PDB file of all heavy atoms in Angstrom:
ATOM      1  N   VAL A 449      -6.518   8.332  17.886  1.00  0.00           N
ATOM      2  CA  VAL A 449      -5.669   7.360  18.521  1.00  0.00           C
ATOM      3  C   VAL A 449      -4.267   7.957  18.805  1.00  0.00           C
ATOM      4  O   VAL A 449      -3.598   8.384  17.872  1.00  0.00           O
ATOM      5  CB  VAL A 449      -5.547   6.072  17.668  1.00  0.00           C
ATOM      6  CG1 VAL A 449      -4.709   5.017  18.432  1.00  0.00           C
ATOM      7  CG2 VAL A 449      -6.891   5.494  17.268  1.00  0.00           C
ATOM      8  N   PRO A 450      -3.846   7.947  20.055  1.00  0.00           N
ATOM      9  CA  PRO A 450      -2.464   8.391  20.301  1.00  0.00           C
ATOM     10  C   PRO A 450      -1.463   7.295  19.850  1.00  0.00           C
ATOM     11  O   PRO A 450      -1.629   6.097  20.132  1.00  0.00           O
ATOM     12  CB  PRO A 450      -2.408   8.557  21.818  1.00  0.00           C
ATOM     13  CG  PRO A 450      -3.823   8.604  22.270  1.00  0.00           C
ATOM     14  CD  PRO A 450      -4.602   7.756  21.308  1.00  0.00           C
ATOM     15  N   VAL A 451      -0.413   7.725  19.173  1.00  0.00           N
ATOM     16  CA  VAL A 451       0.703   6.863  18.819  1.00  0.00           C
ATOM     17  C   VAL A 451       1.922   7.570  19.373  1.00  0.00           C
ATOM     18  O   VAL A 451       2.459   8.542  18.836  1.00  0.00           O
ATOM     19  CB  VAL A 451       0.811   6.704  17.299  1.00  0.00           C
ATOM     20  CG1 VAL A 451       1.988   5.821  16.977  1.00  0.00           C
ATOM     21  CG2 VAL A 451      -0.458   6.143  16.693  1.00  0.00           C
ATOM     22  N   TYR A 452       2.383   7.070  20.529  1.00  0.00           N
ATOM     23  CA  TYR A 452       3.349   7.831  21.313  1.00  0.00           C
ATOM     24  C   TYR A 452       4.776   7.770  20.715  1.00  0.00           C
ATOM     25  O   TYR A 452       5.103   6.871  19.930  1.00  0.00           O
ATOM     26  CB  TYR A 452       3.415   7.330  22.760  1.00  0.00           C
ATOM     27  CG  TYR A 452       2.140   7.562  23.503  1.00  0.00           C
ATOM     28  CD1 TYR A 452       1.259   6.501  23.830  1.00  0.00           C
ATOM     29  CD2 TYR A 452       1.783   8.826  23.907  1.00  0.00           C
ATOM     30  CE1 TYR A 452       0.051   6.731  24.500  1.00  0.00           C
ATOM     31  CE2 TYR A 452       0.602   9.094  24.598  1.00  0.00           C
ATOM     32  CZ  TYR A 452      -0.261   8.008  24.886  1.00  0.00           C
ATOM     33  OH  TYR A 452      -1.432   8.262  25.587  1.00  0.00           O
ATOM     34  N   ASN A 453       5.536   8.731  21.099  1.00  0.00           N
ATOM     35  CA  ASN A 453       6.962   8.746  20.761  1.00  0.00           C
ATOM     36  C   ASN A 453       7.557   7.434  21.288  1.00  0.00           C
ATOM     37  O   ASN A 453       7.006   6.750  22.122  1.00  0.00           O
ATOM     38  CB  ASN A 453       7.701   9.902  21.429  1.00  0.00           C
ATOM     39  CG  ASN A 453       7.475  11.203  20.709  1.00  0.00           C
ATOM     40  OD1 ASN A 453       7.626  11.264  19.509  1.00  0.00           O
ATOM     41  ND2 ASN A 453       7.081  12.216  21.461  1.00  0.00           N
ATOM     42  N   ALA A 454       8.763   7.094  20.813  1.00  0.00           N
ATOM     43  CA  ALA A 454       9.379   5.845  21.182  1.00  0.00           C
ATOM     44  C   ALA A 454      10.875   5.857  20.910  1.00  0.00           C
ATOM     45  O   ALA A 454      11.439   6.930  20.642  1.00  0.00           O
ATOM     46  CB  ALA A 454       8.701   4.651  20.493  1.00  0.00           C
ATOM     47  N   LEU A 455      11.472   4.712  20.950  1.00  0.00           N
ATOM     48  CA  LEU A 455      12.926   4.551  20.727  1.00  0.00           C
ATOM     49  C   LEU A 455      13.177   3.737  19.490  1.00  0.00           C
ATOM     50  O   LEU A 455      12.572   2.674  19.291  1.00  0.00           O
ATOM     51  CB  LEU A 455      13.570   3.856  21.935  1.00  0.00           C
ATOM     52  CG  LEU A 455      14.979   3.376  21.805  1.00  0.00           C
ATOM     53  CD1 LEU A 455      15.937   4.569  21.791  1.00  0.00           C
ATOM     54  CD2 LEU A 455      15.341   2.406  22.894  1.00  0.00           C
ATOM     55  N   ASP A 456      14.128   4.174  18.691  1.00  0.00           N
ATOM     56  CA  ASP A 456      14.713   3.367  17.611  1.00  0.00           C
ATOM     57  C   ASP A 456      16.093   2.935  18.134  1.00  0.00           C
ATOM     58  O   ASP A 456      17.050   3.746  18.113  1.00  0.00           O
ATOM     59  CB  ASP A 456      14.813   4.134  16.306  1.00  0.00           C
ATOM     60  CG  ASP A 456      15.426   3.281  15.173  1.00  0.00           C
ATOM     61  OD1 ASP A 456      15.912   2.152  15.492  1.00  0.00           O
ATOM     62  OD2 ASP A 456      15.410   3.751  14.053  1.00  0.00           O
ATOM     63  N   PRO A 457      16.275   1.711  18.616  1.00  0.00           N
ATOM     64  CA  PRO A 457      17.556   1.294  19.171  1.00  0.00           C
ATOM     65  C   PRO A 457      18.703   1.313  18.144  1.00  0.00           C
ATOM     66  O   PRO A 457      19.873   1.339  18.559  1.00  0.00           O
ATOM     67  CB  PRO A 457      17.286  -0.144  19.661  1.00  0.00           C
ATOM     68  CG  PRO A 457      15.790  -0.271  19.747  1.00  0.00           C
ATOM     69  CD  PRO A 457      15.255   0.606  18.647  1.00  0.00           C
ATOM     70  N   GLU A 458      18.401   1.374  16.868  1.00  0.00           N
ATOM     71  CA  GLU A 458      19.451   1.415  15.880  1.00  0.00           C
ATOM     72  C   GLU A 458      20.079   2.823  15.770  1.00  0.00           C
ATOM     73  O   GLU A 458      21.227   2.955  15.365  1.00  0.00           O
ATOM     74  CB  GLU A 458      18.893   0.984  14.483  1.00  0.00           C
ATOM     75  CG  GLU A 458      18.515  -0.447  14.422  1.00  0.00           C
ATOM     76  CD  GLU A 458      18.070  -0.861  13.017  1.00  0.00           C
ATOM     77  OE1 GLU A 458      18.134  -0.033  12.110  1.00  0.00           O
ATOM     78  OE2 GLU A 458      17.664  -2.019  12.846  1.00  0.00           O
ATOM     79  N   THR A 459      19.319   3.830  16.157  1.00  0.00           N
ATOM     80  CA  THR A 459      19.820   5.199  16.032  1.00  0.00           C
ATOM     81  C   THR A 459      20.144   5.827  17.377  1.00  0.00           C
ATOM     82  O   THR A 459      21.019   6.712  17.461  1.00  0.00           O
ATOM     83  CB  THR A 459      18.808   6.113  15.264  1.00  0.00           C
ATOM     84  OG1 THR A 459      17.565   6.099  15.979  1.00  0.00           O
ATOM     85  CG2 THR A 459      18.582   5.618  13.900  1.00  0.00           C
ATOM     86  N   HIS A 460      19.428   5.437  18.447  1.00  0.00           N
ATOM     87  CA  HIS A 460      19.673   6.001  19.783  1.00  0.00           C
ATOM     88  C   HIS A 460      19.955   4.891  20.751  1.00  0.00           C
ATOM     89  O   HIS A 460      19.102   4.037  20.991  1.00  0.00           O
ATOM     90  CB  HIS A 460      18.459   6.821  20.229  1.00  0.00           C
ATOM     91  CG  HIS A 460      18.295   8.082  19.432  1.00  0.00           C
ATOM     92  ND1 HIS A 460      17.552   8.133  18.219  1.00  0.00           N
ATOM     93  CD2 HIS A 460      18.826   9.327  19.545  1.00  0.00           C
ATOM     94  CE1 HIS A 460      17.626   9.333  17.742  1.00  0.00           C
ATOM     95  NE2 HIS A 460      18.362  10.079  18.507  1.00  0.00           N
ATOM     96  N   HIS A 461      21.156   4.907  21.286  1.00  0.00           N
ATOM     97  CA  HIS A 461      21.704   3.806  22.089  1.00  0.00           C
ATOM     98  C   HIS A 461      22.911   4.318  22.893  1.00  0.00           C
ATOM     99  O   HIS A 461      23.386   5.424  22.660  1.00  0.00           O
ATOM    100  CB  HIS A 461      22.135   2.679  21.154  1.00  0.00           C
ATOM    101  CG  HIS A 461      23.007   3.146  20.003  1.00  0.00           C
ATOM    102  ND1 HIS A 461      24.281   3.605  20.124  1.00  0.00           N
ATOM    103  CD2 HIS A 461      22.679   3.293  18.693  1.00  0.00           C
ATOM    104  CE1 HIS A 461      24.801   3.961  18.938  1.00  0.00           C
ATOM    105  NE2 HIS A 461      23.819   3.809  18.080  1.00  0.00           N
ATOM    106  N   PRO A 462      23.349   3.523  23.894  1.00  0.00           N
ATOM    107  CA  PRO A 462      24.551   3.975  24.615  1.00  0.00           C
ATOM    108  C   PRO A 462      25.737   4.181  23.702  1.00  0.00           C
ATOM    109  O   PRO A 462      25.955   3.440  22.735  1.00  0.00           O
ATOM    110  CB  PRO A 462      24.761   2.785  25.577  1.00  0.00           C
ATOM    111  CG  PRO A 462      23.400   2.203  25.748  1.00  0.00           C
ATOM    112  CD  PRO A 462      22.741   2.313  24.399  1.00  0.00           C
ATOM    113  N   ALA A 463      26.528   5.193  24.032  1.00  0.00           N
ATOM    114  CA  ALA A 463      27.676   5.541  23.220  1.00  0.00           C
ATOM    115  C   ALA A 463      28.781   6.090  24.174  1.00  0.00           C
ATOM    116  O   ALA A 463      28.516   6.507  25.278  1.00  0.00           O
ATOM    117  CB  ALA A 463      27.317   6.635  22.198  1.00  0.00           C
ATOM    118  N   PRO A 464      30.053   6.069  23.700  1.00  0.00           N
ATOM    119  CA  PRO A 464      31.106   6.595  24.549  1.00  0.00           C
ATOM    120  C   PRO A 464      30.887   8.081  24.830  1.00  0.00           C
ATOM    121  O   PRO A 464      30.451   8.851  23.969  1.00  0.00           O
ATOM    122  CB  PRO A 464      32.365   6.382  23.685  1.00  0.00           C
ATOM    123  CG  PRO A 464      31.997   5.305  22.678  1.00  0.00           C
ATOM    124  CD  PRO A 464      30.516   5.495  22.440  1.00  0.00           C
TER     125      PRO A 464
END
Side-chain angles (χ1 to χ4, degrees):
V449 183
V451 180
Y452 294 108
N453 283 311
L455 168 71
D456 181 351
E458 293 183 3
T459 59
H460 291 89
H461 47 73

